[in-house]
């Protein structure tokens, strides 16, 4: 009985985990990089027709702050990456989907960020959906506005939540202390009363 329940439970778990992995979420990229560090330029485009086979080529373009035109910096096609701009030579690693022609995550990782990397990045998903009788081309593009800072700044939200955490912890401890004093007084009063009655 117990064994079969365990088996069922682990089966359900496996199914659940599987579903989680299969799910694709179009999370927005971070937009603040720290100079001298690496930065992941995120770009996710979920494929809506998961049952249809497809291939996908990813391209990244960059428009430095104050410039008008985008320059081509990176291409990823059939597992092969090529860096198209000398400013980015040896500085870009693939951070997207692996082992698949059917890319949903086209993120790249830029090493040694400099202030010159400030600007707008655009990624393109050039997806070809392969149907039995025809092919359908679907192009999706996304923008990332990157700001480079000397030191990481913390979002106000995270500071507020940390302060709230301390307030809560201290509040709970004070409450516990008051409760203990109250209980102690009550117990000792009851004890004295009992002694008086016994006398
Ligand atoms: C992205 O690439 C960088 C550099 O190769 C690596 O250190 C990092 O672990 C990668 N991250 C992911 C999520 O693949
Ligand atoms: C990136 O920075 C590291 C440490 O400062 C350095 O060793 C490396 O050569 C740099 N790489 C590039 C491509 O500039
Ligand atoms: C940033 O760009 C300026 C002007 O193009 C160039 O002189 C400088 O060397 C660049 N700095 C870095 C760290 O690449």
């Amino acid at each position: 009985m117990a064994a079969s329940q365990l088996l069922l439970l682990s089966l359900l778990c496996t199914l659940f985990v599987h579903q989680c992995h299969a799910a694709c979420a179009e999370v927005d990229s971070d937009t603040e990089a720290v100079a001298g560090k690496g930065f992941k330029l995120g770009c996710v485009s979920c494929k809506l027709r998961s049952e249809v086979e497809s291939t996908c080529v990813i391209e990244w373009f960059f428009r430095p702050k104050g410039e008008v035109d985008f320059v081509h910096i990176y291409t990823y096609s059939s597992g092969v990456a090529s860096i198209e701009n000398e400013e980015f030579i040896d500085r870009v690693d693939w951070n997207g989907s692996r082992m698949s022609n059917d890319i949903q995550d086209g993120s790249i990782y830029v090493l040694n960020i400099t202030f010159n990397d400030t600007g707008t990045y655009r990624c393109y998903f050039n997806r070809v959906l392969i149907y039995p009788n025809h092919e359908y081309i679907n192009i999706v593009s996304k923008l990332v506005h990157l700001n480079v800072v000397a030191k990481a700044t913390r979002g106000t939200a995270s500071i507020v939540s940390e302060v709230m955490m301390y307030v809560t912890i201290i509040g709970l401890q004070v409450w516990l202390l008051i409760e203990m004093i109250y209980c102690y007084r009550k117990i000792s009063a009851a004890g004295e009363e009992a002694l008086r009655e016994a006398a």
Side-chain angles (χ1 to χ4, degrees):
M1 181 66 185
S4 70
Q5 270 176 348
L6 255 176
L7 199 71
L8 189 68
L9 205 69
S10 65
L11 197 73
L12 282 175
C13 273
T14 320
L15 277 176
F16 185 69
V17 168
H18 220 77
Q19 282 235 313
C20 278
H21 275 294
C24 170
E26 302 204 353
V27 189
D28 283 336
S29 179
D30 279 343
T31 56
E32 188 181 273
V34 179
K37 299 247 163 75
F39 182 76
K40 178 178 172 178
L41 279 164
C43 186
V44 179
S45 163
C46 295
K47 183 176 149 190
L48 298 177
R49 307 291 304 274
S50 59
E51 75 283 6
V52 179
E53 207 179 307
S54 68
T55 63
C56 191
V57 173
I58 306 289
E59 287 180 301
W60 278 90
F61 292 79
F62 171 50
R63 183 180 63 196
K65 193 181 174 190
E67 307 253 320
V68 181
D69 297 321
F70 277 89
V71 292
H72 192 186
I73 59 172
Y74 186 86
T75 306
Y76 189 88
S77 171
S78 312
V80 180
S82 49
I83 296 170
E84 319 276 4
N85 184 277
E86 59 178 22
E87 294 276 330
F88 290 89
I89 295 281
D90 291 336
R91 287 177 60 215
V92 184
D93 278 335
W94 178 245
N95 253 183
S97 313
R98 287 174 205 281
M99 309 285 202
S100 163
N101 284 331
D102 209 5
I103 299 161
Q104 302 200 88
D105 182 350
S107 304
I108 56 174
Y109 191 85
V110 183
L111 299 150
N112 298 14
I113 289 279
T114 75
F115 287 101
N116 288 3
D117 296 328
T118 306
T120 306
Y121 293 79
R122 184 188 276 277
C123 71
Y124 281 92
F125 285 82
N126 304 287
R127 191 170 277 145
V128 180
L129 295 159
I130 302 159
Y131 290 94
N133 300 318
H134 68 289
E135 295 187 342
Y136 175 77
I137 296 172
N138 174 238
I139 296 177
V140 175
S141 94
K142 306 216 163 180
L143 285 178
V144 180
H145 299 284
L146 186 68
N147 189 28
V148 178
V149 297
K151 231 174 131 239
T153 59
R154 286 183 56 192
T156 343
S158 93
I159 294 171
V160 167
S161 70
E162 192 172 319
V163 169
M164 285 307 290
M165 185 186 78
Y166 284 122
V167 167
T168 311
I169 289 173
I170 292 168
L172 277 175
Q173 278 178 350
V174 168
W175 179 74
L176 200 68
L177 197 70
I178 292 172
E179 198 81 335
M180 273 166 64
I181 293 170
Y182 177 78
C183 274
Y184 176 76
R185 287 215 175 134
K186 229 177 161 173
I187 289 168
S188 61
E192 274 168 23
E193 192 124 324
L195 275 179
R196 234 177 288 131
E197 261 170 36

